[in-house]
Amino acid sequence: MYTINDNPELLAPDIIEQVKQFPTGVISDVMSGNGTMGYRIKPVANGMKVAGTAITVNGRAGSNFMIHTAVALAGKGYVLVVNGKGNQSVALLGDLITRAAKQQGVEGFVIDGLVRDVADLRDIGLPVFSIGAVPAAPDREEGGELNVPIACGGVHVNPGDLVIGDDDGVVVVPRSRVSEVLEAAEKKKLSEEQRIEEIANHVIVPEWLRKKLQERNLLPK
């Protein structure tokens, strides 16, 4: 048995374009680390970046039936986020599914599980984030759910959430917090740009640290 719910409404294109300005580190910072997936989930190739609306996939352990199903029903603007059930013996994703997803317009995959055909995945270029690779194939036994709340990389993900990934990893922003987080990220980005300029001008000690060191008489006031 399996359950297929409707795909969530896509986040507005202007939101996706805005979030692409920010590295995951900035988004993670303004969320105090909340929504940041575990360190093992990384892109299969350096330079891969993804931003889009989450379709959540909760398949049966060792089967990629629901991933195939999600690709068949997905389209442009969606990132497929997969609870891999902790299986570390088979690859849930390979080059064939990835090629099909790219043709469908899917923005990328985030899988708390393994992949294979890594060289091909790099050539295909569709962003894929996973915990590693193994040659062994999965089965296609039916079972699971599509577009239900899941866990991935230690993070709760709802269908429709904002998903951002880059070389550092993946961050999930709850849909209800997107506007608030992007506003804070813009302020954080400007602050970091100012700090970069200060360092270039030989202002080595940031203001927050200067005050603490002055309190201990380690720097002149």
Side-chain angles (χ1 to χ4, degrees), residues 12 44 47 50 61 72 82-84 88-89 92 97 101 119 123 125 133 154 169 176 178 192 217 220-221:
V44 299
V50 71
V82 182
N83 179 352
Q88 297 185 27
S89 60
L92 296 178
I97 297 181
D123 288 341
S176 62
V178 168
E192 291 194 352
N217 297 316
K221 295 184 178 179

Side-chain angles (χ1 to χ4, degrees), residues 40-49 122 127-130 165-170:
R40 293 194 302 167
I41 296 184
K42 290 291 189 293
V44 299
N46 291 336
M48 284 186 167
K49 296 182 179 181
R122 290 170 178 160
V128 174
F129 294 74
S130 74
D166 60 20
D167 284 335
D168 289 336
V170 177

Side-chain angles (χ1 to χ4, degrees), residues 6-12 52-55 76-78 147 159-161 175:
D6 291 340
N7 290 336
E9 180 181 356
L10 285 168
L11 291 160
T53 305
I55 284 179
K76 185 172 177 57
Y78 289 111
N147 287 317
D161 285 347
R175 194 181 188 103

